[in-house]
Amino acid sequence: INKMASPIVDVYSLSCPASAPFFGYFGAAAAMFLANLGAAYGTAKSGVGISGMGVSRPDLVMKALIPVVMAGVVGIYGLIIAVIISTKIKAPSLDNGTMRPQYTLFAGAAHLAAGLAGGFSGLAAGMAIGIVGDIGTRALGQQPKLFVGMILILIFAEALGLYGLIVALIFSASPTGVCAE
């Protein structure tokens, strides 16, 4: 028996193009990449300062690890954003031989903006944490009374990443519309 397969028809439109999920996934990837780049820089730069300070004051090394932990949290912000974005991206569904898109271009743009906002904020926070962690831990080795001041500066640097996380959550939670039937 020779059955002819029915052709699959794509029903993409201007509001729901086939390329829309690319923008969403790019936003998720950007959030991960940029936030982890900031976290890696912050960890490395702070680690250099801790190593330099630890030679003369090994008793302060555990206190000096706080910038490394805070830099790692920036990477977690990027992970949260990427997971939220990627769970909202919907693949087209096959309905009676017709591919029906479920992800709008508006959603793709919103998720791209969310990823970039969170990612670049994480990059900025990681860089700030790294610089403050490097110089702050070296200064802490010479004057332990600077610990509270260093922590306050680190908190404000970390807040940059938190602001990006909040904005990314707002962007990714915005209504995205529906694809036409």
Side-chain angles (χ1 to χ4, degrees):
I1 298 172
N2 192 5
K3 292 184 179 181
M4 290 188 66
S6 60
I8 295 177
V9 180
D10 292 336
V11 187
Y12 291 100
S13 64
L14 290 176
S15 64
C16 295
S19 61
F22 168 79
F23 296 108
Y25 282 119
F26 191 82
M32 276 300 297
F33 171 73
L34 293 169
N36 283 320
L37 185 63
Y41 180 84
T43 300
K45 189 88 167 138
S46 296
V48 168
I50 292 167
S51 298
M53 182 271 306
V55 171
S56 60
R57 295 292 305 268
D59 57 310
L60 294 175
V61 169
M62 291 309 290
K63 269 181 140 176
L65 285 175
I66 292 174
V68 173
V69 173
M70 294 180 83
V73 171
V74 171
I76 294 171
Y77 292 163
L79 175 67
I80 291 169
I81 295 165
V83 167
I84 288 173
I85 290 171
S86 65
T87 58
K88 293 187 176 195
I89 299 171
K90 296 176 186 148
S93 64
L94 186 60
D95 181 30
N96 293 330
T98 303
M99 291 297 289
R100 300 217 179 267
Q102 300 181 29
Y103 191 71
T104 64
L105 185 59
F106 186 86
H111 293 151
L112 175 62
L116 290 174
F120 277 118
S121 294
L123 178 61
M127 292 180 74
I129 289 168
I131 293 168
V132 171
D134 181 19
I135 303 300
T137 54
R138 290 174 193 264
L140 180 66
Q142 295 184 7
Q143 178 53 266
K145 291 180 181 177
L146 293 173
F147 181 72
V148 173
M150 179 185 77
I151 295 302
L152 287 173
I153 296 168
L154 286 168
I155 288 170
F156 286 111
E158 181 81 28
L160 299 173
L162 186 59
Y163 299 154
L165 173 66
I166 292 167
V167 169
L169 293 175
I170 291 169
F171 283 171
S172 66
S174 63
T176 57
V178 294
C179 295
E181 290 293 323

